[in-house]
Amino acid sequence: MSMDSSGKIIWAKHSELQQANLKAMVDAEIKDGERLPLAVKDMGSCEIYPQTVSHNSNGRFVVVCGDGEYIIYTAMALRNKSFGSAQEFVWALDSSEYAVRESTTSIKIFKNFKEKKSFKPEYGAEGIFGGHMLGVKSISGLAFYDWETLELIRRIEIQPKHVYWSENGELVCIAAEDSFYILKYNTEAIAEAKQHNREVSEDGIEESFDVLGTHLETVKTGLWVGDCFIYTNSLNRLNYYVGGEIVTISHLDRIMYLLGYIPKDRFVPW
């Protein structure tokens, strides 16, 4: 299931794709925590059995991935735009760029639906993460690469389950099995290292990230709203992190999943 920034939600029901639009409920009186009376629209059948569904950053395209393949559709009309083989698929912050993990050793980068580069990470690729930088999980931990150059920015000894970037790319939450880490990306340190042609170690540029906090809590789903990280945890609580402090917003009465945030309406659906 995936939602774009305007409130359009697409999900897979078996191999059928369906859509709902939260904007259609703009005049409805809804109390916090209530189920939303959504009008569901059938969009058609998918050629593969989707395991993941996700929008690109501007919401124009949506990708389904499963059965070792991916298909990119136009989000509105569900027209087939591109397809290929992939164990995993992630979007970059740049809406025209994405990466696929073809195997445990090979990753390909695409721009405007054309293959731009391919590479084999030094320690392999057990998983990939999109956003401001390309994240690659391996036996050595998590490695961040520059989308444009594929230069190693930093290797971190964390085995992540999820990686969440803030919209401006300054903050990132790395969620592991039973803890999460809030890091700040230091763009000035990167620029300085490149300007002085500083020799980069096998773990990348040491000053590229500053650790702002480490918390012994499991993040199930999460998203950034400015410099505030909102997340659900293993105790079914909806919390937010900001400035080093964690505050509980709500105790949920069942397992729920964050879908996104609509800034205009200050609306967080799940």
Side-chain angles (χ1 to χ4, degrees):
M1 180 178 285
S2 177
M3 186 186 84
D4 68 10
S5 59
S6 70
K8 294 186 182 70
I9 306 170
I10 294 178
W11 66 90
K13 188 176 182 181
H14 305 299
S15 60
E16 300 294 319
L17 293 177
Q18 298 180 319
Q19 185 187 72
N21 190 352
L22 296 178
K23 288 293 185 183
M25 304 169 45
V26 69
D27 296 325
E29 291 187 12
I30 302 164
K31 295 179 181 179
D32 284 350
E34 277 191 352
R35 288 181 180 270
L36 303 178
L38 296 175
V40 176
K41 174 186 175 183
D42 289 323
M43 300 188 72
S45 181
C46 183
E47 297 165 37
I48 60 177
Y49 195 94
Q51 292 170 303
T52 60
V53 180
S54 63
H55 284 89
N56 71 336
S57 61
N58 64 14
R60 289 186 59 197
F61 299 104
V62 64
V63 65
V64 297
C65 188
D67 298 332
E69 297 180 68
Y70 72 89
I71 304 174
I72 299 173
Y73 296 101
T74 57
M76 291 298 291
L78 213 66
R79 286 193 293 269
N80 193 320
K81 187 70 179 177
S82 187
F83 61 92
S85 61
Q87 299 300 315
E88 275 185 287
F89 179 110
V90 294
W91 294 105
L93 192 63
D94 179 338
S95 60
S96 66
E97 197 160 17
Y98 57 90
V100 300
R101 182 174 69 88
E102 286 198 322
S103 67
T104 55
T105 59
S106 175
I107 294 173
K108 289 184 176 180
I109 312 296
F110 292 79
K111 178 92 170 178
N112 294 320
F113 309 106
K114 295 179 180 178
E115 184 178 333
K116 188 173 77 169
K117 289 182 180 179
S118 64
F119 78 116
K120 297 181 183 295
E122 184 179 357
Y123 295 97
E126 297 175 4
I128 55 174
F129 304 93
H132 186 65
M133 279 189 283
L134 174 62
V136 179
K137 176 184 176 180
S138 70
I139 55 172
S140 70
L142 173 64
F144 284 122
Y145 294 89
D146 183 282
W147 278 98
E148 189 62 33
T149 63
L150 288 182
E151 291 177 335
L152 174 67
I153 301 299
R154 187 67 176 146
R155 183 174 285 111
I156 303 169
E157 292 183 2
I158 298 173
Q159 288 294 331
K161 294 192 72 176
H162 306 285
V163 174
Y164 304 97
W165 282 94
S166 64
E167 191 173 355
N168 61 11
E170 288 185 3
L171 297 167
V172 62
C173 172
I174 303 173
E177 185 69 39
D178 52 10
S179 59
F180 69 92
Y181 308 83
I182 303 293
L183 282 66
K184 182 179 181 182
Y185 180 52
N186 193 339
T187 53
E188 292 179 1
I190 301 297
E192 186 179 337
K194 290 182 178 179
Q195 184 180 353
H196 295 89
N197 293 320
R198 191 182 303 163
E199 188 175 337
V200 177
S201 74
E202 63 176 13
D203 289 331
I205 302 168
E206 187 176 352
E207 304 87 2
S208 55
F209 287 93
D210 298 319
V211 179
L212 301 183
T214 301
H215 302 275
L216 297 175
E217 188 171 23
T218 300
V219 172
K220 291 294 187 182
T221 58
L223 58 89
W224 286 92
V225 178
D227 59 358
C228 177
F229 182 65
I230 304 173
Y231 66 96
T232 57
N233 67 11
S234 56
L235 300 175
N236 288 341
R237 290 178 184 169
L238 179 65
N239 293 347
Y240 70 82
Y241 165 98
V242 65
E245 298 293 326
I246 293 177
V247 178
T248 297
I249 303 171
S250 177
H251 295 265
L252 308 175
D253 59 2
R254 59 191 181 277
I255 296 175
M256 302 180 83
Y257 306 88
L258 283 165
L259 273 180
Y261 177 71
I262 305 176
K264 186 178 178 181
D265 302 318
R266 297 182 181 178
F267 188 32
V268 182
W270 60 77

